Amino acid sequence: MSYCLNSGCRKPYNPSGNTFCQSCGAKLLLSDRYRAIKPIGQGGFGKTFLAVDEYKPTLPKCVIKQFFPQNSASAEKAAELFRREAIRLDELGQHPQIPELMAHFQQGDQQYLVQEFIDGQNLEQELVANGTFTENQIQELLWDLLPVLEFVHERQVIHRDIKPENIIRRNSITLPDDGGEIKGQLVLVDFGASKVITESSLGNTGTMIGSAGYVASEQLAGKASPASDLYSLGVTCIYLLTQVAPFELFDVVEGKWVWRQYLQSNISEDLGRVIDQLLAPNINERYQFVREVLKELESVKYQKSFAGSGSQTGSNNPSLLTKILGGIPQIIKGRIMQEFGQTESALAAYDRAINIRPNNYDAWYKKAEVCYQLKRYESAIFCYEKTVKLQPNHWQGWRSLGVLFYQFNRYEKSVECYFKSLDIQSEQPMVWLWLSLAIKKSGDEQKAQMCLYKARQCLPNSRVETAEILWKAWEKLIQ
């Protein structure tokens, strides 16, 4: 099936093989490559269509956004926002939890934006289908989304429209041989309202953009900051916990939030305190940066992990020696626990090492390995990304990211990570082999064969060693 993008077409549906619309004669392929299948949404600035990329042999799905403002009076502003979204996606789409920009162009007199298709439901749809979220689900949401927000803010961008509809969960992946199910990552979408942070913009009044009920007071005044996104995330949490509209969760007479009155299940005081600070109406009383929220959540986790143990080793106050050594004793403890199969204890030890020295890339890498072992793949990706951010020459971290992205069918990202690993350490036959498979999945048979040849060149002369390497490569793939 093809769908005509001419807004004046009366019969937009066409057979899939058509080049031109049989009703109005308009060209059906955008940029001779992208074919719209059906409309999937419409907003104030444009229409959204599900499409396929006919340039690639696997015909992967994608999303076409067509600039089509409903209000002609605001057309110039809408065009600016549309161009802005393309720029933001191009800058931020390297993150696995932000849609990748595939193209931005003008055809005829209209602008188009083509981006990665995120196959899944948004959190508003999840709420309608499954009911209110539990405390564990909210904690998972915060742990999954806060690092994405940190990535955005570090690149001097404020999203300005965080709400359940703009958070999509990728569909879960079922592993073969009863290997269980990988819960899909959360993806932050719709950067049309985003704003670049500059020294002057933080103090100046700009345009108020955002969704009613989710917008902080300073953003209403046109002075959005990173803390404004954290406020919107807090409102998202209480809406998911209560399924009650945000306006009804705030007592305008008392000037305070009353969301606890609408809870359908109890939550801990610790999480409640974190949410309250996210929701603080006064920006000076609110978290200013993502790292502050993550630190608070980590502290809550530690308190739960060591509550009731009565052991001094479980204290959150590390000794002077441990501080001097930068968490090294905890890493050693983690490795010992890992060797004995005590994965949760190992995880707690690595967490403490990170708490003592957050830039300890070895602790992040070890934690990532345990998360992968426990099939907590989203957490593993986050920790591996932390590893290579702190130590860009960590070839093992890049290699492991390549494996994980391959598992999630993100072959282009997998290829990128494998190449970064090989740039640092080129003699890795296993990685060359995995790279050839990822490139083949992306549709480039010739390059895949070249990588396979390189893998053969890197193999040792010993048949025993070669067999061991190939076995390990295959074992990793089937995991």
Side-chain angles (χ1 to χ4, degrees):
M1 184 66 69
S2 296
Y3 191 89
C4 179
L5 295 177
N6 176 12
S7 57
C9 184
R10 295 185 177 183
K11 296 179 180 179
Y13 285 99
N14 288 266
S16 57
N18 281 22
T19 305
F20 297 94
C21 178
Q22 59 190 8
S23 175
C24 70
K27 195 174 182 179
L28 292 175
L29 279 182
L30 278 182
S31 194
D32 295 321
R33 177 170 181 171
Y34 305 105
R35 183 184 296 275
I37 298 173
K38 64 177 182 179
I40 54 175
Q42 182 168 338
F45 302 142
K47 298 177 179 177
T48 308
F49 304 87
L50 180 64
V52 293
D53 182 357
E54 295 200 347
Y55 187 76
K56 295 184 178 180
T58 55
L59 301 178
K61 290 180 181 177
C62 56
V63 171
I64 294 173
K65 284 192 173 185
Q66 179 190 50
F67 173 60
F68 192 79
Q70 294 178 353
N71 184 354
S72 58
S74 62
E76 189 176 341
K77 181 65 178 177
E80 178 194 338
L81 290 172
F82 196 83
R83 285 191 294 271
R84 180 187 296 169
E85 180 169 17
I87 293 168
R88 298 296 165 268
L89 283 174
D90 196 30
E91 293 171 347
L92 302 172
Q94 58 184 291
H95 194 284
Q97 290 170 264
I98 296 173
E100 182 179 1
L101 178 70
M102 299 168 67
H104 175 232
F105 53 87
Q106 185 161 333
Q107 186 163 306
D109 58 352
Q110 286 189 306
Q111 284 190 72
Y112 292 94
L113 183 155
V114 184
Q115 67 184 58
E116 174 191 3
F117 171 66
I118 308 300
D119 195 5
Q121 289 185 319
N122 66 45
L123 296 191
E124 176 68 39
Q125 293 168 325
E126 272 194 22
L127 184 68
V128 171
N130 305 321
T132 56
F133 280 41
T134 64
E135 172 167 356
N136 285 341
Q137 287 175 302
I138 293 298
Q139 290 212 34
E140 286 178 6
L141 161 67
L142 291 171
W143 278 111
D144 205 359
L145 205 61
L146 281 167
V148 187
L149 210 49
E150 184 178 38
F151 175 87
V152 172
H153 291 169
E154 283 176 347
R155 280 147 186 81
Q156 305 303 305
V157 174
I158 311 167
H159 187 278
R160 297 202 297 179
D161 198 18
I162 293 174
K163 58 182 179 179
E165 294 94 327
N166 286 340
I167 304 168
I168 300 175
R169 189 187 305 280
R170 293 185 191 274
N171 284 338
S172 299
I173 299 171
T174 303
L175 297 172
D177 302 323
D178 297 321
E181 189 176 68
I182 305 172
K183 193 173 183 180
Q185 279 184 311
L186 295 178
V187 180
L188 185 60
V189 303
D190 199 350
F191 281 80
S194 63
K195 178 180 180 180
V196 173
I197 307 167
T198 63
E199 286 186 27
S200 58
S201 71
L202 286 173
N204 293 341
T205 301
T207 306
M208 196 295 288
I209 292 176
S211 298
Y214 292 89
V215 182
S217 57
E218 71 277 0
Q219 188 169 327
L220 283 170
K223 296 183 178 181
S225 75
S228 309
D229 279 346
L230 295 176
Y231 178 92
S232 300
L233 182 59
V235 179
T236 296
C237 289
I238 60 173
Y239 173 63
L240 295 173
L241 282 166
T242 62
Q243 208 166 358
V244 175
F247 283 123
E248 297 180 39
L249 299 174
F250 189 82
D251 188 329
V252 292
V253 177
E254 296 291 332
K256 64 179 183 180
W257 290 98
V258 291
W259 58 275
R260 284 179 176 80
Q261 297 176 17
Y262 296 88
L263 287 173
Q264 297 187 26
S265 59
N266 293 329
I267 67 165
S268 67
E269 289 183 13
D270 293 326
L271 179 60
R273 188 173 60 252
V274 171
I275 293 174
D276 283 337
Q277 195 164 346
L278 285 170
L279 292 169
N282 185 338
I283 189 172
N284 294 322
E285 296 174 2
R286 200 183 311 148
Y287 296 113
Q288 299 300 301
F289 303 103
V290 168
R291 62 176 178 269
E292 296 173 0
V293 193
L294 288 171
K295 186 176 180 181
E296 190 79 14
L297 287 171
E298 195 72 44
S299 175
V300 169
K301 191 166 111 179
Y302 281 132
Q303 289 169 20
K304 287 186 176 180
S305 298
F306 296 105
S309 67
S311 170
Q312 292 299 316
T313 58
S315 169
N316 281 325
N317 300 313
S319 68
L320 179 60
L321 177 61
T322 301
K323 285 181 178 178
I324 292 170
L325 293 174
I328 291 173
Q330 292 298 326
I331 294 178
I332 295 170
K333 179 181 177 182
R335 288 174 179 169
I336 294 170
M337 293 296 103
Q338 217 172 330
E339 284 292 323
F340 282 91
Q342 301 294 320
T343 49
E344 292 293 344
S345 298
L347 206 56
Y350 294 140
D351 277 338
R352 279 191 57 75
I354 292 165
N355 190 44
I356 294 162
R357 198 178 75 187
N359 63 347
N360 190 330
Y361 65 85
D362 191 34
W364 281 110
Y365 180 71
K366 291 297 180 185
K367 180 179 178 180
E369 287 185 314
V370 178
C371 289
Y372 186 88
Q373 187 180 346
L374 294 169
K375 297 184 179 180
R376 298 173 188 172
Y377 297 114
E378 294 87 359
S379 297
I381 287 174
F382 171 63
C383 294
Y384 281 130
E385 285 179 335
K386 276 285 189 181
T387 302
V388 296
K389 180 181 175 182
L390 293 167
Q391 176 51 271
N393 290 328
H394 201 290
W395 60 268
Q396 301 98 323
W398 287 116
R399 179 189 65 189
S400 299
L401 273 173
V403 171
L404 277 163
F405 285 137
Y406 185 91
Q407 283 184 256
F408 280 89
N409 301 324
R410 292 181 61 81
Y411 302 120
E412 290 180 4
K413 290 289 184 185
S414 178
V415 168
E416 179 184 338
C417 292
Y418 285 144
F419 270 128
K420 285 184 177 179
S421 180
L422 291 165
D423 282 344
I424 302 161
Q425 176 59 262
S426 61
E427 300 299 313
Q428 299 183 72
M430 279 197 294
V431 178
W432 282 110
L433 175 60
W434 294 334
L435 177 60
S436 72
L437 293 172
I439 289 176
K440 186 175 181 181
K441 289 283 189 180
S442 300
D444 196 329
E445 186 72 34
Q446 187 176 358
K447 283 185 180 177
Q449 288 294 332
M450 289 171 61
C451 293
L452 186 60
Y453 176 73
K454 184 66 177 177
R456 290 195 188 107
Q457 283 186 315
C458 292
L459 287 170
N461 294 326
S462 167
R463 290 186 178 182
V464 175
E465 290 179 11
T466 296
E468 186 178 355
I469 288 170
L470 293 174
W471 175 254
K472 285 181 179 178
W474 175 250
E475 187 178 38
K476 195 78 170 179
L477 282 172
I478 63 172
Q479 281 178 354

